[in-house]
Amino acid sequence: MKAIVPVSAVLLFTASPLPAQTRTVAERLGYPRDAKLLILHADDLGAAHSINAASFDALDKSVVSSASIMMPTPWVTEVAGSDRSHPDADLGLHLTLTSEWDTYRWGSVESTDKVPSLLDSAGTFPSDDDPVATKANLVEVERELRAQVERALAMGIRPTHLDSHMLALFTTPGLMATYVKVAHDYRLPFLTTRKDPFGGPPPVLAANDIPLDAVIIAGADVPRDKWKDFYLNAIAGLKPGLTEIIVHLGHDDAELQAVTVNHEPWGSAWRQRDYDVVNSAEFRKALQDNHVILVKWRDLKKLLQQSPSPSSFR
């Protein structure tokens, strides 16, 4: 999962400031121009029952405002059932081209013969993003991304947005362009900012796209005994604008320990810590004390659907 582990970084990427006269997302959503808007987002639904249970619990309590689903994963059917019984849950698609765990693997939604460049010798996605960046055929990438969206729709899931597992789709301009194209074609907002997180050229965005101002995630360098401090400091440091904090929720139980064996980063104890922090009174108080407003990707989807089709900007 090294694609999302910048060394000792709290802020993954930030956007360039907009001209003063530009109407901000906060204003378009009915908030003051200087409001601190936060999407508090849980990744990886579908990867395990433990992750599903912890994430839907947090969604039900409005502890997090959004989550996203990995369509190729073994527990996605449970997510689809939960989505139908939680119609207000803000669920996007965590577009997936990697399979990071040692003994718990998944492959493509599309037929394997149609996306061979995306798969390893065992017929599963690679463990990290390097093979995606260097070997994946972009036609096959687009084919697989569309298959994941179509599978969600066929299961009754109406996604609120798209994002990228392990940020694999951010690793080359071609992958990023494919990701943006699919999002535009399905008229969905998508995780992005105006800057490339890896220092490459900025993504080419349509006039009605809604890039975030900042994305924050706990990296492997965060001391385990300072976990809550990391998040409290992140909340205290939020700037006006639209930020997403990405968390990974789960319970440190036998199932998730087996799924994430040999991977302490993003493993079962890591996910239990994230779950405990976002459910804590201190975290809720920090949001209140810093005047943070939780918003959803569904709010951005409504703004997008009020705009002309992005095809008119190409």
Side-chain angles (χ1 to χ4, degrees):
M1 303 182 74
K2 61 185 179 58
I4 55 173
V5 193
V7 177
S8 66
V10 174
L11 206 59
L12 284 190
F13 37 97
T14 58
S16 301
L18 290 172
Q21 70 273 16
T22 303
R23 195 160 176 249
T24 66
V25 172
E27 289 172 309
R28 293 171 65 193
L29 291 175
Y31 299 109
R33 183 178 182 85
D34 62 351
K36 300 175 184 177
L37 305 185
L38 176 65
I39 300 172
L40 187 53
H41 177 84
D43 268 357
D44 298 350
L45 267 74
H49 170 70
S50 175
I51 292 172
N52 293 348
S55 299
F56 273 105
D57 176 69
L59 287 164
D60 287 345
K61 295 175 181 176
S62 298
V63 170
V64 298
S65 57
S66 174
S68 57
I69 309 163
M70 302 172 69
M71 294 310 300
T73 55
W75 280 89
V76 72
T77 304
E78 181 183 56
V79 177
S82 296
D83 180 49
R84 288 190 290 272
S85 60
H86 298 75
D88 295 328
D90 189 84
L91 300 179
L93 300 184
H94 201 42
L95 297 172
T96 302
L97 297 176
T98 51
S99 178
E100 65 269 36
W101 310 116
D102 287 355
T103 60
Y104 185 75
R105 313 286 299 161
W106 50 75
S108 60
V109 169
E110 182 58 271
S111 299
T112 57
D113 61 322
K114 294 183 179 179
V115 289
S117 72
L118 309 187
L119 305 173
D120 60 20
S121 59
T124 60
F125 287 140
S127 297
D128 61 51
D129 57 38
D130 284 344
V132 181
T134 59
K135 298 179 181 179
N137 177 287
L138 293 180
V139 172
E140 295 176 14
V141 169
E142 182 175 347
R143 190 174 291 154
E144 174 61 22
L145 299 187
R146 291 182 183 279
Q148 292 182 22
V149 177
E150 290 297 330
R151 184 184 185 195
L153 295 174
M155 296 175 75
I157 297 168
R158 294 296 178 262
T160 59
H161 70 285
L162 302 179
D163 57 41
S164 173
H165 184 49
M166 296 170 61
L167 296 186
L169 292 167
F170 286 69
T171 53
T172 72
L175 288 166
M176 184 69 186
T178 303
Y179 165 62
V180 172
K181 179 183 179 183
V182 171
H184 284 173
D185 286 349
Y186 285 96
R187 296 218 70 192
L188 291 171
F190 54 96
L191 176 65
T192 191
T193 66
R194 294 177 188 84
K195 291 184 178 180
D196 185 291
F198 304 109
V204 178
L205 303 178
N208 63 339
D209 286 333
I210 307 173
L212 278 64
D213 295 301
V215 180
I216 299 171
I217 188 171
D221 58 320
V222 176
R224 305 313 186 245
D225 62 344
K226 301 293 184 182
W227 208 255
K228 187 178 291 183
D229 291 342
F230 169 85
Y231 285 109
L232 296 181
N233 290 335
I235 295 298
L238 288 181
K239 306 297 183 186
L242 178 61
T243 300
E244 179 169 88
I245 294 180
I246 300 173
V247 295
H248 297 81
L249 306 182
H251 298 304
D252 189 15
D253 56 18
E255 180 209 20
L256 202 52
Q257 289 169 15
V259 166
T260 64
V261 64
N262 299 328
H263 282 260
E264 190 277 333
W266 291 276
S268 60
W270 177 299
R271 292 168 189 266
Q272 183 71 58
R273 286 195 299 272
D274 271 5
Y275 176 85
D276 291 343
V277 167
V278 298
N279 277 281
S280 69
E282 298 98 315
F283 187 81
R284 292 193 297 272
K285 186 174 186 299
L287 292 173
Q288 182 177 6
D289 289 349
N290 289 279
H291 309 290
V292 176
I293 301 168
L294 290 185
V295 295
K296 300 181 178 182
W297 278 102
R298 180 177 286 114
D299 301 325
L300 305 187
K301 184 178 180 181
K302 290 177 182 177
L303 291 183
L304 180 67
Q305 292 177 338
Q306 292 167 2
S307 303
S309 170
S311 61
S312 63
F313 299 100
R314 291 178 188 168

